[in-house]
Amino acid sequence: MESFAELLEQSEVDRKMRPGAIIEGTVIAVSPEFVTVHAGLKSESTIPVDQFRNESGEVEVAIGDLIEVALDSVEDGFGATRLSREKAKRARAWSRLESSFEGGDVVTGMMTGKVKGGFTVDVDSIRAFLPGSLVDVRPVRDTTYLEGKMLEFKVIKLDRRRNNVVVSRRAVVEEEYSAERESLLENLKEGAVLPGVVKNLTEYGAFVDLGGIDGLLHIIDMAWKRVKHPTEVVNVGDEIEVKVLKFDRDRSRVSLGLKQLGTDPWIDISRRYPDGTRVFGQVTNIADYGCFVDIGDGVEGLVHVSEMDWTNKNVHPNKVVQLGDSVEVMVLDVDENRRRISLGIKQCRPNPWQEFFDNHRKGDRVSGAIKSITDFGVFVGLDGGIDGLVHLSDLSWGEPGEEAIRRYKKGDEIETVVLSVDPDRERISLGIKQIDKDPLSTYLSNNPKGSIVKGKVVEVDVKGATILLSEGVDGYLRASEIGRERIEDARTVLNEGDEIEAKFVGLDRKKRVLSLSIKARESEEEVQTMQEYTTAASAAPTTLGDLIKKQMDSHSEESSKKEAQSDSADESRDIESAASTQASADEPATEESASASESSIEDASEDASDDPAPAADSASDEASVHDQSASEPEAEAVRGSTEDRGS
């Protein structure tokens, strides 16, 4: 009967020989396809050679090596023992992971792929999960610099039964940097120049490892020139020197600069590139509003879209230049404080506006096709790709511009006259009506203001009438200017087709219409008549006032003479009465008295015949009558003038 010790030993052997057990075996043969291992069982086991290859593809065992294998089955039905090297290695890996997890030790592995929320890591042939937030102390968007490298991790979660392993690289990095970081933070200051390694790139810059702390190198601080992406200047893993621009000790943030290590090219740039300088540069960027050109030393200037072409102000930059083109530009303005330079491309090319100004003068005739028609005029294409404007007011002499423009269409060839050229403002004024003479100017030269003109009524309304004076020349006669009497409706006096004669009293140059007046013409005719009479009367020896005074004096003298004659007659009657009385009393005395009386009468008659006053009085009376008849037209003219002023 077997002893208890033998039974116990046999039970231990049976337990170790169960499937999945890890046992030791000796390599007894190595072939290109299999490795033969003897584990002290009933038979040797053949294991595929692929389970013994390392990462380089080489067989890592030799004959006589003692290795660990996993027992799949003691007998597979054919009398052979089945062993697995791969399962043994995996079991040992799990054991090491459990040991590292319990002891907080560091394990090594390699990032093999990216999954949702993180990455996969191969740790001793075991697939582990690395969350994206635990890759580094800062979020990492580009992990290219970490792929394909053996990295250190810490196991933060492990479940062998569910085959679940979670690792963290951030924990390892924080431990490594903790000591260096404290030392660096104590000595870090603004303006210091430090070495560093680019560890991560983003769209807005790069993170540089300064040895315990990461600093941000912003894209605008990488170079003096325009940088679209950080990869134009640095790459992950590059060792560079940077300058500390700003350090926030409380938040542990460091701002770094790379371009600050060189000389600022904007210093004294106004002296190196004065206005008007022509230089060659390379197009580095194109936008909707223009393009940027590098003129050297990392200095970029903007060529605005309006400075690209003389004729097309709204051309897209892509139609003028392409990215990377070498172009000639002119410096237009330099703002050293704002670090801006305005450049122009068209200034390096001939100016068609200036060429037109040099080759054409006012009054020259030019022809071209209508390029566009607007509410305010017609644009005509000229040599050099430029346009000239024919304003509505310059289309026709007698027709309103709104109506005249309807006769023109886009593409029509027309002949125009140059009115003015302003090369600085890039404007050319043209005219069509100036090809012919202005009928109004011709008419005014022959009929100045104040002239008596004739015309035909072409239109009449309540307020007045439109008069056709000449071809292309119109006048307007208001109702109040038709006559001296008040006229409410001009249609009661004038009809279309009537011929009238009026005085030119005013001009509306904007409407090109003459103001006419019949009333002013009639008043002028009366004044002329009176002036003609006054001129004729002034040819006599005396003036009208003298004639009137003389007439008044003659009337006074005549009255005096009549009174004297009346007194003389009364005396004669008294004498005759006295003589008759005396005759009755004394006949001789009467005869003497009668003869004396006759003698006195004869003397009086002789005196009267000798005095020329009566003849003068008669002549004065005739002159007075003539003067009165002559002064009647003058008085009538004065009354008419008074009535005009009253009306």
Side-chain angles (χ1 to χ4, degrees):
M1 176 180 261
E2 296 179 353
S3 63
F4 178 77
E6 291 176 350
L7 293 175
L8 181 62
E9 183 179 356
Q10 185 63 37
S11 65
E12 289 292 334
V13 172
D14 293 340
R15 187 172 61 84
K16 291 182 180 180
M17 292 300 125
R18 291 177 181 177
I22 304 299
I23 60 177
E24 291 184 350
T26 304
V27 178
I28 60 176
V30 178
S31 67
E33 296 180 357
F34 299 97
V35 174
T36 303
V37 177
H38 175 63
L41 301 177
K42 293 180 179 181
S43 62
E44 292 84 6
S45 176
T46 57
I47 303 173
V49 72
D50 291 338
Q51 296 186 15
F52 294 89
R53 297 185 185 276
N54 55 20
E55 296 177 356
S56 302
E58 299 176 353
V59 179
E60 57 183 0
V61 294
I63 297 175
D65 290 348
L66 186 64
I67 60 173
E68 288 184 344
V69 291
L71 178 62
D72 286 343
S73 63
V74 177
E75 186 176 355
D76 61 357
F78 297 96
T81 302
R82 297 183 59 184
L83 302 176
S84 173
R85 172 64 175 170
E86 185 176 350
K87 290 182 179 180
K89 291 166 56 175
R90 185 177 181 83
R92 286 303 178 189
W94 275 106
S95 298
R96 288 194 296 270
L97 285 177
E98 290 176 349
S99 171
S100 299
F101 175 64
E102 294 174 357
D105 298 334
V106 176
V107 297
T108 59
M110 181 181 297
M111 294 175 60
T112 56
K114 185 174 182 180
V115 295
K116 184 178 180 180
F119 306 88
T120 57
V121 179
D122 184 6
V123 181
D124 283 347
S125 301
I126 296 177
R127 188 169 179 263
F129 175 68
L130 172 63
S133 60
L134 300 179
V135 175
D136 207 334
V137 291
R138 296 181 181 274
V140 179
R141 296 183 180 180
D142 185 9
T143 59
T144 306
Y145 72 103
L146 297 176
E147 296 176 0
K149 298 179 180 179
M150 294 300 295
L151 305 174
E152 292 183 343
F153 303 92
K154 274 193 174 184
V155 181
I156 59 175
K157 185 178 181 181
L158 188 144
D159 188 345
R160 183 171 184 176
R161 184 174 60 84
R162 300 178 63 182
N163 198 26
N164 183 19
V165 180
V166 180
V167 295
S168 171
R169 179 175 177 271
R170 178 177 179 176
V172 178
V173 174
E174 287 179 345
E175 288 183 0
E176 291 178 354
Y177 287 171
S178 59
E180 297 179 0
R181 179 173 181 151
E182 293 298 329
S183 176
L184 182 62
L185 290 176
E186 291 179 1
N187 301 323
L188 191 63
K189 60 181 180 180
E190 296 181 1
V193 178
L194 302 173
V197 179
V198 179
K199 61 182 299 185
N200 188 24
L201 296 179
T202 64
E203 294 181 356
Y204 54 86
F207 286 96
V208 181
D209 182 7
L210 301 177
I213 188 174
D214 292 345
L216 173 62
L217 175 60
H218 200 275
I219 190 171
I220 63 174
D221 293 316
M222 289 185 174
W224 293 109
K225 65 179 183 179
R226 181 182 297 272
V227 179
K228 291 184 178 180
H229 195 271
T231 53
E232 297 178 7
V233 182
V234 296
N235 292 303
V236 175
D238 290 351
E239 295 183 0
I240 59 175
E241 282 192 347
V242 291
K243 186 174 183 179
V244 179
L245 304 180
K246 189 176 181 181
F247 174 48
D248 188 345
R249 189 177 299 275
D250 297 332
R251 303 173 66 183
S252 299
R253 291 188 176 181
V254 182
S255 297
L256 305 175
L258 185 62
K259 70 180 184 181
Q260 287 76 8
L261 297 177
T263 305
D264 187 355
W266 289 91
I267 298 177
D268 294 335
I269 194 169
S270 299
R271 179 180 56 82
R272 290 184 286 122
Y273 297 102
D275 294 352
T277 304
R278 298 174 67 165
V279 295
F280 283 91
Q282 186 177 14
V283 179
T284 58
N285 188 28
I286 297 178
D288 292 337
Y289 52 86
C291 69
F292 290 90
V293 179
D294 185 355
I295 60 176
D297 299 330
V299 177
E300 289 186 352
L302 172 64
V303 181
H304 194 266
V305 65
S306 62
E307 304 296 341
M308 288 188 168
D309 190 78
W310 285 111
T311 57
N312 194 346
K313 302 295 184 183
N314 296 322
V315 64
H316 195 276
N318 281 329
K319 296 182 179 180
V320 181
V321 296
Q322 298 296 326
L323 197 64
D325 287 354
S326 179
V327 295
E328 185 180 14
V329 294
M330 178 179 288
V331 178
L332 304 180
D333 181 63
V334 178
D335 190 341
E336 191 170 333
N337 295 328
R338 300 176 65 188
R339 295 176 178 263
R340 292 184 178 180
I341 296 183
S342 298
L343 306 175
I345 293 178
K346 70 180 184 181
Q347 287 76 8
C348 299
R349 301 171 182 174
N351 185 354
W353 302 93
Q354 187 64 42
E355 290 182 347
F356 188 91
F357 177 76
D358 297 336
N359 298 328
H360 297 82
R361 289 293 179 265
K362 183 178 180 180
D364 291 353
R365 295 193 178 189
V366 293
S367 299
I370 296 177
K371 298 187 67 175
S372 63
I373 299 176
T374 64
D375 295 338
F376 52 86
V378 176
F379 284 94
V380 181
L382 304 174
D383 295 339
I386 58 180
D387 299 339
L389 173 63
V390 181
H391 196 265
L392 290 178
S393 60
D394 294 318
L395 291 175
S396 175
W397 288 114
E399 190 178 7
E402 292 78 4
E403 298 179 4
I405 199 172
R406 297 175 184 173
R407 301 197 306 267
Y408 300 95
K409 296 181 180 179
K410 185 176 180 180
D412 291 350
E413 286 284 339
I414 59 174
E415 185 179 14
T416 60
V417 175
V418 178
L419 303 182
S420 65
V421 181
D422 189 346
D424 296 331
R425 300 175 64 189
E426 299 182 358
R427 293 183 179 180
I428 298 176
S429 297
L430 305 175
I432 296 177
K433 71 180 184 181
Q434 287 78 6
I435 295 177
D436 302 323
K437 291 185 178 180
D438 184 4
L440 180 61
S441 299
T442 304
Y443 187 85
L444 292 177
S445 63
N446 298 327
N447 300 277
K449 186 177 180 180
S451 303
I452 304 299
V453 296
K454 295 181 179 180
K456 184 178 181 180
V457 178
V458 294
E459 185 180 354
V460 62
D461 56 13
V462 176
K463 296 182 179 180
T466 301
I467 313 299
L468 178 62
L469 301 175
S470 178
E471 185 66 27
V473 181
D474 292 335
Y476 187 76
L477 177 61
R478 293 188 300 172
S480 60
E481 297 295 332
I482 295 177
R484 294 178 179 177
E485 298 180 356
R486 183 178 182 85
I487 298 175
E488 300 292 341
D489 190 347
R491 294 175 294 185
T492 60
V493 181
L494 299 176
N495 297 312
E496 293 185 7
D498 291 351
E499 297 284 343
I500 63 124
E501 188 175 3
K503 184 177 181 180
F504 171 24
V505 296
L507 174 64
D508 187 342
R509 293 191 177 275
K510 185 177 181 180
K511 297 182 179 180
R512 297 174 60 83
V513 176
L514 280 69
S515 298
L516 306 178
S517 175
I518 296 178
K519 183 170 67 175
R521 188 211 71 192
E522 293 176 350
S523 298
E524 182 179 358
E525 290 178 351
E526 290 181 357
V527 173
Q528 288 179 352
T529 302
M530 186 177 65
Q531 289 178 350
E532 290 176 358
Y533 174 77
T534 304
T535 303
S538 64
T542 57
T543 63
L544 180 61
D546 294 338
L547 293 175
I548 295 174
K549 182 178 180 182
K550 184 176 181 180
Q551 182 181 3
M552 295 176 64
D553 293 342
S554 64
H555 280 296
S556 178
E557 291 177 359
E558 183 179 0
S559 299
S560 299
K561 289 179 180 181
K562 287 181 178 180
E563 291 177 359
Q565 289 177 357
S566 177
D567 293 341
S568 174
D570 292 341
E571 289 179 359
S572 298
R573 285 192 296 270
D574 291 342
I575 292 172
E576 290 178 356
S577 178
S580 61
T581 304
Q582 185 67 25
S584 61
D586 188 1
E587 187 66 26
T590 303
E591 292 178 357
E592 291 178 359
S593 299
S595 57
S597 177
E598 290 174 359
S599 171
S600 62
I601 291 172
E602 290 176 357
D603 293 339
S605 298
E606 291 176 358
D607 295 336
S609 62
D610 294 337
D611 190 1
D617 293 341
S618 177
S620 175
D621 293 340
E622 293 178 359
S624 175
V625 173
H626 178 72
D627 291 342
Q628 290 176 359
S629 62
S631 62
E632 287 177 1
E634 180 180 2
E636 183 65 21
V638 173
R639 287 195 299 273
S641 176
T642 305
E643 291 175 359
D644 292 343
R645 289 193 299 269
S647 62

